[in-house]
Amino acid sequence: ESLRPLTGEHELVREYVFGNQMAQDFMEKYLDLLEYILPKYIREGKTHLVIGIGCTGGQHRSVAIAERVGGFLKEHDYTISIKHRDAAKNQKRAIAQ
């Protein structure tokens, strides 16, 4: 309940989201897939890729995962842009409750 007004950009939320083995396994497999497939996209001449990550509220899990994916892509020298479409909207709603 104390995490409700926060987003996946906050360390406490990230610790909670990635604090279980299933989330860690998911991230490992997902990042392995991206590492495998992105060079192939580039070889085909593709210059843009949109990755959508969603969750029920769009504030905690999806934001934490998007940030982790973004960090991974930056580490691999990809130019990225992250937009958390619903996080600010849902954060205002959680604070008002």
Side-chain angles (χ1 to χ4, degrees), residues 21-87:
Q21 192 60 47
M22 187 167 39
Q24 293 171 27
D25 292 346
F26 170 80
M27 286 308 305
E28 181 181 342
K29 292 175 185 312
Y30 192 70
L31 296 178
D32 282 348
L33 174 64
L34 290 174
E35 190 170 28
Y36 171 77
I37 204 161
L38 287 174
K40 292 166 178 40
Y41 272 59
I42 292 168
R43 267 197 305 270
E44 288 182 5
K46 297 181 187 329
T47 59
H48 290 83
L49 174 67
V50 176
I51 299 173
I53 300 170
C55 67
T56 302
Q59 178 177 333
H60 298 106
R61 285 172 295 192
S62 61
V63 173
I65 291 169
E67 290 293 325
R68 173 99 23 119
V69 169
F72 172 84
L73 294 173
K74 283 181 187 177
E75 289 173 8
H76 287 78
D77 295 324
Y78 291 103
T79 302
I80 67 152
S81 172
I82 299 175
K83 179 181 177 189
H84 300 298
R85 187 187 73 186
D86 296 330

